Amino acid sequence: MHTLQQQDPDIFNLIQQEEFRQKDKIRLIASENYVSKAVMEATGSVLTNKYSEGYPGKRYYEGQQFIDQVESLAIQRAKDVFGAEHVNVQPYSGSPANLAVYLAFLSPGDTILGMALPHGGHLTHGAKVSISGKYFNAESYSLDEETGLLNYEAIREKALACKPKILIAGHSAYPRQLDFATFREIADACGAILFVDMAHFSGLVAGGAHPSPFPYADVVTTTTHKSLRGPRGAMVMCKAEYAAAIDKAVFPGLQGGPHNNTTAAIAVALKEASTDAFKEYAAQVVKNAQALATTLLDKGFNLVTGGTDNHLMLIDLTNKEVTGKIAAKALDAAGIVLNYNAVPYDKRKPFDPSGIRLGACAVTSRGFKEEQMVQLGLWIDAIVSAPANTALQEEIAAAVKALCAKFPAPGLEDLA
Ligand SMILES: *Cc1c(COP(=O)(O)O)cnc(C)c1O
């Protein structure tokens, strides 16, 4: 980035500091990852200069000789990786992708039913502060208070009572696999469209480490930058019968010109996701999450649902007598970066909740295996047991940096 360094040293320096932060710290934010250098190169390409409102073969501007091919490749690769009938790769991010689904199927005031935000649902699944909760009649289902698990019987009762037009399956903080066949039965019983938002776990689906929603769902959205390890963006995939409605909702319904540099980078990421190496990656993500979960359970941590079978875990710190925020800040000072998070039926407020959320996607991308996850679990236990011990934080931060040096982060291998 020599040109940037000369022209705008302020931004150059900040980007460089962020590069070192991503290189030297253990990143456990469940929605984050490292993209490959190839994905970054496509993201930073001249495709950012081109306008291409419309779809391949039906554009409103000339000069699409190469853009059409890029977008068609991205679509074909998504179909191949996921077995989708129709794919739209243009949504700017996960939230606009979800809005496009609502625009395609709903009128204002219609009912949607999704997982409650404080139980692991996403803002766009009907939270009151979100447009999804303001423009639609948003109903929600909760997790079981005893087990922390989805209670499919309770979801069925709620769905039959409120008759949603769209039933949403998907989450940002639920540490277990979803039962798509049962969601399908419930959707059929109440006449709803089944919408699966696999933003968090689409990389596991691509790699065969999580059941696929595709035989069951009418429409599936995903971000491309979480477990799928692509650029910041999203896709809407659906059954062929809904293709026209979805495409019209994305453009011209919600967006203007697609971000072609992102589309190209999505295509690159999908090529990577179709390899055997990515299957191994997805399987290792789950093994790593489970190794960390086991270590933390041994140390007396209270994991919601008692463990994990995907990439993430949610920990209720109430028995450790520390809040999620204090723990997250102490861990950040020790080079272990995660987020504080509400736990189901949390007695504390969302801005200072009882839990933390941890994910294994990013550390697995840099090559961590079970051995490193066990070490990580021991460090987390030490920090959370003494959150005010700044000397210990400094000591562990140095050990974290030394461990990270042995596991070069994708895209940052050349950083001295
Ligand atoms: C991250 C996420 C989104 C939103 O993605 P953005 O790109 O942040 O808009 C939507 N749904 C779920 C379940 C998510 O986890």
Side-chain angles (χ1 to χ4, degrees):
M1 295 193 293
H2 298 296
T3 314
L4 181 62
Q5 184 170 21
Q6 280 173 4
Q7 269 187 23
D8 193 336
D10 298 328
I11 289 296
F12 171 82
N13 286 330
L14 290 168
I15 292 175
Q16 198 177 48
Q17 287 175 73
E18 174 65 12
E19 286 179 340
F20 278 103
R21 191 192 68 81
Q22 293 190 15
K23 169 181 162 286
D24 293 335
K25 301 208 172 183
I26 291 179
R27 299 170 57 229
L28 296 179
I29 292 178
S31 50
E32 292 184 355
N33 212 327
Y34 294 96
V35 298
S36 68
K37 201 153 212 164
V39 166
M40 247 186 291
E41 285 176 3
T43 307
S45 70
V46 294
L47 302 192
T48 195
N49 295 337
K50 186 71 193 109
Y51 243 102
S52 57
E53 286 183 351
Y55 291 101
K58 307 176 281 261
R59 305 282 191 186
Y60 290 81
Y61 300 89
E62 296 314 310
Q64 312 295 349
Q65 290 84 352
F66 309 110
I67 297 298
D68 274 6
Q69 295 182 59
V70 167
E71 187 167 334
S72 298
L73 256 181
I75 290 167
Q76 189 55 50
R77 288 177 182 175
K79 286 182 178 173
D80 293 345
V81 165
F82 292 109
E85 290 178 15
H86 177 76
V87 180
N88 187 308
V89 294
Q90 295 192 4
Y92 298 142
S93 212
S95 302
N98 291 354
L99 262 185
V101 174
Y102 302 146
L103 186 60
F105 295 111
L106 303 176
S107 300
D110 282 349
T111 299
I112 59 174
L113 174 61
M115 190 190 279
L117 180 68
H119 288 219
H122 191 260
L123 280 165
T124 55
H125 297 179
K128 286 284 163 267
V129 293
S130 148
I131 185 170
S132 63
K134 286 184 198 286
Y135 284 28
F136 306 108
N137 173 40
E139 301 281 347
S140 64
Y141 52 84
S142 304
L143 297 174
D144 186 82
E145 192 161 4
E146 283 294 299
T147 62
L149 295 168
L150 281 170
N151 178 339
Y152 290 94
E153 263 325 295
I155 299 172
R156 189 190 310 270
E157 274 172 34
K158 185 106 195 191
L160 290 173
C162 75
K163 294 249 180 309
K165 262 203 175 156
I166 293 183
L167 172 64
I168 310 162
H171 58 80
S172 306
Y174 184 65
R176 297 292 172 179
Q177 295 178 351
L178 300 181
D179 177 355
F180 298 119
T182 300
F183 270 114
R184 176 77 260 170
E185 280 170 31
I186 297 170
D188 288 341
C190 65
I193 294 276
L194 178 58
F195 163 29
V196 175
D197 178 353
M198 62 172 186
H200 256 262
F201 54 87
S202 58
L204 302 185
V205 172
H210 187 291
S212 170
F214 279 92
Y216 305 104
D218 296 299
V219 53
V220 177
T221 62
T222 184
T223 52
T224 46
H225 47 274
K226 297 180 183 174
S227 54
L228 194 57
R229 223 160 69 180
R232 297 199 89 81
M235 302 189 283
V236 184
M237 298 175 264
C238 62
K239 295 196 167 145
E241 64 190 284
Y242 303 120
I246 289 294
D247 283 353
K248 253 175 66 190
V250 174
F251 173 85
L254 207 56
Q255 298 189 167
H259 296 178
N260 297 305
N261 55 322
T262 300
T263 304
I266 289 173
V268 174
L270 288 166
K271 184 175 182 187
E272 294 172 1
S274 69
T275 60
D276 286 341
F278 197 86
K279 284 196 180 66
E280 279 169 40
Y281 167 70
Q284 190 64 47
V285 167
V286 176
K287 284 191 245 170
N288 281 353
Q290 289 175 340
L292 180 55
T294 305
T295 309
L296 293 170
L297 285 167
D298 284 348
K299 290 289 177 187
F301 282 87
N302 178 11
L303 272 63
V304 174
T305 77
T308 178
D309 53 28
N310 60 21
H311 62 300
L312 72 83
M313 63 213 82
L314 188 59
I315 302 181
D316 183 344
L317 292 170
T318 307
N319 66 332
K320 296 283 179 184
E321 291 175 359
V322 56
T323 69
K325 202 179 213 172
I326 287 171
K329 288 196 182 307
L331 287 162
D332 190 48
I336 298 168
V337 189
L338 44 67
N339 63 286
Y340 57 85
N341 212 99
V343 296
Y345 305 95
D346 207 322
K347 292 185 181 63
R348 303 182 59 85
K349 298 214 161 60
F351 196 58
D352 188 12
S354 302
I356 49 175
R357 186 186 65 161
L358 304 75
C361 292
V363 290
T364 307
S365 289
R366 74 187 304 163
F368 276 25
K369 295 259 168 29
E370 288 88 334
E371 185 188 339
Q372 288 74 42
M373 301 308 284
V374 170
Q375 172 64 74
L376 175 54
L378 299 177
W379 283 333
I380 290 172
D381 176 52
I383 297 291
V384 171
S385 302
N389 186 341
T390 52
L392 179 70
Q393 289 160 15
E394 281 169 30
E395 189 187 308
I396 291 180
V400 163
K401 190 172 168 182
L403 179 66
C404 286
K406 295 191 202 143
F407 294 89
L412 300 172
E413 296 94 341
D414 303 337
L415 210 58

